Amino acid sequence: LICKSIDEASLMAIITHHAILRSLEEGPQNARCYIKKEISHIFSSGTKFSSLVFLLNSLLLSRVLRNIHPNGVDGRMATFVELYGMSNNNILLYFYPRMFNVNESEFSILPLGNDSFLNGFCFVIHTYNKIYIKIQKNADANYLKNAFDACSFEDIPFNVPKLETQENLVLQNLIN
């Protein structure tokens, strides 16, 4: 009954917190076993989640639960403290960033994957603590001028300027 009514973000946060505690108490191997057991339980419950299994797989494969953390014991502990204090949304963005295709007047959410870069020329990738903007070299010159006040791909500034154009306003609304 609980599985049928719980929000995926909340469940991901709960499982992340439990995995962190298990890793602290019994090590990352035990935490990975716990997550695998939860994934199996989710599949056997028959509840249809749209993204929870992918999020849990990201947690399972993340540096958080590797046997040897790339930044050592202190790095693992710093990551645990950071994750434990995050909101549900930031936990989701930590393990699975959002990607947007931005055009002249609107944006759309895309799946993370190389194929997503095939259609369009301006992409925003939103992680829990950073926003990346990727401009393809085939970007339209008018778009570059209106969105970034740039005459060419090479002239795109490091920071997005504030302009009074439709293209820039769409971009500003997305990143702010």
Side-chain angles (χ1 to χ4, degrees), residues 12 14 18 21 24 26 38 44 52 61 63 80 83-84 103 113 115 122 127 137 147 153 164-165 172-173:
M12 179 63 183
I14 291 167
H18 282 245
L21 293 175
L24 286 170
E26 303 166 20
E38 290 300 315
S44 68
L52 183 62
L61 298 174
R63 66 183 183 152
F80 284 165
L83 274 170
Y84 210 79
N103 64 37
D115 289 348
C122 180
T127 69
K137 290 195 178 198
F153 179 80
E164 294 298 322
T165 63
Q172 290 290 339
N173 287 334

Side-chain angles (χ1 to χ4, degrees), residues 71-166:
N71 298 323
V73 175
D74 290 341
R76 183 187 308 275
M77 194 62 187
T79 304
F80 284 165
V81 169
E82 183 180 24
L83 274 170
Y84 210 79
M86 283 184 189
S87 68
N88 291 358
N89 286 343
N90 282 343
I91 287 173
L92 295 180
L93 291 171
Y94 183 89
F95 292 109
Y96 198 85
R98 290 186 297 175
M99 183 172 167
F100 301 91
N101 178 3
V102 184
N103 64 37
E104 289 80 9
S105 60
E106 62 187 12
F107 61 87
S108 57
I109 298 176
L110 299 172
L112 290 178
N114 289 334
D115 289 348
S116 293
F117 291 112
L118 297 177
N119 296 317
F121 46 80
C122 180
F123 303 92
V124 173
I125 301 161
H126 179 206
T127 69
Y128 80 103
N129 65 350
K130 292 182 182 167
I131 295 175
Y132 301 93
I133 300 174
K134 177 179 175 36
I135 306 296
Q136 306 273 56
K137 290 195 178 198
N138 67 340
D140 180 68
N142 287 330
Y143 181 82
L144 294 179
K145 182 68 176 162
N146 292 332
F148 300 100
D149 198 25
C151 294
S152 69
F153 179 80
E154 291 76 21
D155 295 334
I156 297 172
F158 184 72
N159 294 315
V160 178
K162 291 190 188 247
L163 306 171
E164 294 298 322
T165 63
Q166 180 65 29

Side-chain angles (χ1 to χ4, degrees), residues 2-33:
I2 291 174
C3 271
K4 291 182 181 179
S5 63
I6 195 162
D7 174 86
E8 287 184 65
S10 299
L11 188 53
M12 179 63 183
I14 291 167
I15 293 172
T16 299
H17 290 155
H18 282 245
I20 289 170
L21 293 175
R22 284 183 187 251
S23 188
L24 286 170
E25 293 169 0
E26 303 166 20
Q29 179 65 33
N30 188 281
R32 286 192 304 273
C33 289

